[in-house]
Amino acid sequence: MLTLTYVAWLNPTCLVGIGVYLLMRVFKKKNPAPYPPGPPGLPLVGNVLDIPQVKPWLTFTKWGKMYGEISHVEVLGQHTIVLNSVKTAMDMLDNKSMVYSDRPVFPMAGELVGWKDSLLLLSYGGRFRRYRKNLHRVIGSRAALDIYRPIVEIETHRFLKRVLTTPDQLQERIRHTAGAVILRISYGYEVKESSDPFINIAKRANNQFLQSIAPGAFMVNYLPFLAKVPEWLPGAGFKRLAREWHEIVQEMVSAPYNFAIDEIAAGDAPMSCISAMLEGQTPTAEEHDIARWSAVSLYGGGSDTTVSAIYSLFLAMTLFPDVQKKAQAEIDAVVGPDRLPSLADRASLPYIEALAKEVLRWNVVTPIGLPHRVTEDDVHDGYYIPKGSIIIPNLWLVPPLVPFMLHNPETYSNPSQFNPERFLANDGKKPETEPRTICFGFGRRICPGIANSQKRLLLAESSIWISAAMSLAVFDISKVVENGVEITPEVDPSSFTISHPKPFKCSIRARSAKAIALVQQDANY
């Protein structure tokens, strides 16, 4: 991996890049307003040493404390603007969405690794709108979601069985179940019970995607012309790595799609994204390509984000037993001990609804989201935002730093605590701000499948809700005791685009003999 270290600067490729950048600086035009404040950079190369490669939201939060709601850095001519307040993010990304809805060009991830046609990296335009129309049609309304509700419930029930048998493999069981749900909905594919090839390929491809867009990881993301250099050139090892990763992306895009097409041709296809998108058509090559990439956008994103959220749910229940007891009391009173909760119970379980919201707020799945890109020069609040700037909304905090957005103490009381009651109206006190108005993204890059009038991501929310309701109905989740010592898990999120809790141990036990019987019932209902 070619990183921004002093060693990298010795490569001839990097030296050429610096020369090109210096020439650009000579002909730089005068700005109509000052840039937003930010850390002072080095002469010529700017903030090359300030770009964080590990947990960037920590650095961004420090900048927010020092410089305010908008901060700015520049690396080799690439401007990056960090937004540290909800108001600023809404004003820029929502209210000015016409010019703030593009994506940055990531040469490593896009051109070289092969993600350029994915919804996440696709430039805003006609093809982007066709993807979103496809996805909204199949998962973006309650009527559409009703079609897939049995899949979510059946696979979550199967998750309970797996956890009951192997509670020490919680994270892998969550990943398996998230993959099972999204593959059935996307392609009509039912996963194998263990080591499913499509789940495995999604895990590898998603991990490599996150590496390929990490800040400061690859010089080619700052100097795009490096994508054209030959592999044998010193410092061009990133191209060999990209070639290997490209093969994995192609397999992820093509293999499940070909499975679905074969099922449709044989007349055996169940309802799925692919069957709905191609129903009654004789697709052209372009239409096949649109359908293939629309589905893989759902498959890739859904197979990882839901894993993070549900793993965070189990972490919260381990750390906050009083919340777990209140949730179980509500389930016991409303649902009773003779059946598992279903999505039909959702309106009758307001505490579980609030708990699912708190999962989205407490351990943010996307702590800084995927960056936006400005398509025109703009002046916002007196600051110059040049065309091509990368815009990063910072959703995260880590105490004792000043928290932002979903952890702002001016918006959320005691924000580090997991407290579902903050979203319930109690004793005349209004609920705190809905997290889903922020956590699913902004403007025209908001997550696909969103119900726009409510800003609700129906499929993701349903998966989190039913996982919470079913799991708490039958399991007690607690800290592990080893050699007489209670082990308290550490709250320490990982990556910057999709953040997973640090692996932790917890005890998961059936609440009763009746709970075991419920779990062991046939899940095919």
Side-chain angles (χ1 to χ4, degrees):
M1 181 179 293
L2 187 60
T3 58
L4 291 177
T5 64
Y6 287 110
V7 174
W9 295 108
L10 300 178
N11 291 321
T13 304
C14 297
L15 294 175
V16 172
I18 293 173
V20 172
Y21 170 69
L22 294 178
L23 287 173
M24 293 170 58
R25 296 280 292 189
V26 172
F27 298 100
K28 181 181 178 183
K29 67 179 181 179
K30 185 177 179 180
N31 297 337
Y35 294 123
L42 297 172
L44 305 180
V45 296
N47 299 99
V48 67
L49 300 181
D50 296 314
I51 299 297
Q53 296 186 40
V54 178
K55 297 182 182 177
W57 56 89
L58 304 189
T59 300
F60 296 160
T61 301
K62 288 181 182 177
W63 293 350
K65 182 178 180 180
M66 296 174 65
Y67 305 114
E69 296 183 354
I70 309 177
S71 53
H72 164 266
V73 289
E74 179 186 357
V75 176
L76 297 176
Q78 175 61 66
H79 298 272
T80 297
I81 313 295
V82 179
L83 310 181
N84 281 315
S85 81
V86 175
K87 181 181 183 303
T88 303
M90 294 288 191
D91 286 347
M92 296 174 76
L93 304 183
D94 278 358
N95 298 340
K96 298 181 180 180
S97 61
M98 278 292 292
V99 296
Y100 281 89
S101 292
D102 206 7
R103 280 284 189 242
V105 175
F106 291 98
M108 182 65 179
E111 294 295 330
L112 298 179
V113 177
W115 286 106
K116 64 182 177 64
D117 289 323
S118 68
L119 184 64
L120 278 175
L121 297 190
L122 195 65
S123 294
Y124 185 76
R127 187 179 177 98
F128 173 87
R129 289 189 289 270
R130 289 180 69 180
Y131 285 14
R132 290 191 65 88
K133 182 178 180 180
N134 281 341
L135 294 175
H136 183 76
R137 182 159 57 92
V138 295
I139 62 169
S141 68
R142 292 189 180 279
L145 187 64
D146 284 343
I147 297 172
Y148 302 111
R149 180 178 294 178
I151 292 174
V152 177
E153 293 181 343
I154 289 169
E155 294 297 344
T156 305
H157 190 165
R158 291 174 178 172
F159 165 73
L160 302 181
K161 290 187 175 185
R162 298 180 188 113
V163 171
L164 182 65
T165 304
T166 54
D168 59 327
Q169 298 177 22
L170 175 64
Q171 191 172 31
E172 285 308 307
R173 297 311 186 192
I174 294 172
R175 184 172 296 281
H176 186 94
T177 301
V181 170
I182 210 69
L183 281 162
R184 286 185 70 177
I185 291 174
S186 300
Y187 304 100
Y189 172 82
E190 191 158 354
V191 302
K192 295 175 170 50
E193 187 57 34
S194 62
S195 193
D196 185 88
F198 291 169
I199 291 178
N200 292 340
I201 199 70
K203 180 179 179 180
R204 292 178 65 192
N206 282 335
N207 287 340
Q208 291 164 359
F209 173 78
L210 296 179
Q211 292 179 57
S212 65
I213 64 171
F218 293 96
M219 180 65 74
V220 67
N221 286 334
Y222 295 96
L223 300 173
F225 72 87
L226 294 179
K228 305 298 183 183
V229 303
E231 285 187 10
W232 53 261
L233 194 70
F238 68 93
K239 293 204 68 174
R240 292 187 292 274
L241 186 63
R243 178 162 42 82
E244 296 171 8
W245 289 0
H246 186 272
E247 294 176 3
I248 295 170
V249 171
Q250 290 304 305
E251 185 177 354
M252 180 178 175
V253 172
S254 299
Y257 185 78
N258 292 341
F259 166 85
I261 292 300
D262 289 344
E263 293 287 293
I264 292 170
D268 296 328
M271 175 60 71
S272 69
C273 253
I274 296 300
S275 64
M277 282 189 273
L278 301 182
E279 184 178 12
Q281 297 184 41
T282 303
T284 64
E286 181 187 14
E287 287 166 341
H288 271 300
D289 197 49
I290 294 287
R292 181 185 294 110
W293 279 103
S294 297
V296 86
S297 298
L298 179 61
Y299 167 36
S303 63
D304 207 23
T305 53
T306 306
V307 175
S308 172
I310 296 174
Y311 199 43
S312 297
L313 163 69
F314 277 82
L315 175 61
M317 295 302 94
T318 304
L319 294 173
F320 299 94
D322 290 346
V323 171
Q324 181 177 178
K325 290 176 183 177
K326 289 179 182 179
Q328 289 172 330
E330 181 180 72
I331 294 168
D332 293 345
V334 174
V335 178
D338 298 322
R339 67 176 178 88
L340 289 170
S342 73
L343 287 166
D345 297 311
R346 195 165 174 180
S348 303
L349 296 170
Y351 192 83
I352 303 299
E353 182 76 9
L355 187 150
K357 292 179 185 178
E358 182 69 339
V359 168
L360 293 172
R361 185 204 68 84
W362 179 68
N363 202 38
V364 186
V365 172
T366 54
I368 63 172
L370 203 63
H372 292 224
R373 179 177 174 271
V374 187
T375 54
E376 297 178 10
D377 287 351
D378 185 34
V379 175
H380 186 85
D381 283 350
Y383 294 125
Y384 177 48
I385 314 295
K387 177 181 178 180
S389 293
I390 294 174
I391 311 296
I392 299 176
N394 181 25
L395 308 184
W396 193 253
L397 99 160
V398 173
L401 304 175
V402 174
F404 295 99
M405 295 201 187
L406 289 171
H407 287 258
N408 188 338
E410 296 180 4
T411 307
Y412 299 103
S413 60
N414 199 0
S416 63
Q417 290 293 111
F418 188 92
N419 178 22
E421 292 182 23
R422 69 176 76 249
F423 299 118
L424 299 173
N426 290 321
D427 300 325
K429 184 179 179 181
K430 292 183 179 180
E432 295 179 358
T433 302
E434 281 271 3
R436 60 193 173 209
T437 62
I438 304 168
C439 65
F440 294 143
F442 297 93
R444 303 181 185 192
R445 303 304 306 214
I446 200 167
C447 290
I450 205 85
N452 289 320
S453 61
Q454 303 165 302
K455 231 179 181 185
R456 299 186 63 175
L457 195 61
L458 299 176
L459 178 60
E461 289 185 59
S462 296
S463 295
I464 296 167
W465 189 94
I466 197 64
S467 295
M470 282 192 177
S471 297
L472 294 176
V474 297
F475 294 138
D476 282 323
I477 305 160
S478 60
K479 296 178 183 178
V480 166
V481 177
E482 294 182 346
N483 301 319
V485 178
E486 189 176 68
I487 307 298
T488 299
E490 182 181 2
V491 180
D492 184 18
S494 59
S495 177
F496 77 100
T497 301
I498 299 176
S499 180
H500 295 268
K502 184 177 181 178
F504 65 93
K505 293 182 179 180
C506 66
S507 171
I508 305 174
R509 297 184 179 183
R511 296 179 65 194
S512 65
K514 183 166 283 190
I516 293 174
L518 285 177
V519 172
Q520 292 177 338
Q521 286 177 354
D522 185 1
N524 294 310
Y525 50 86

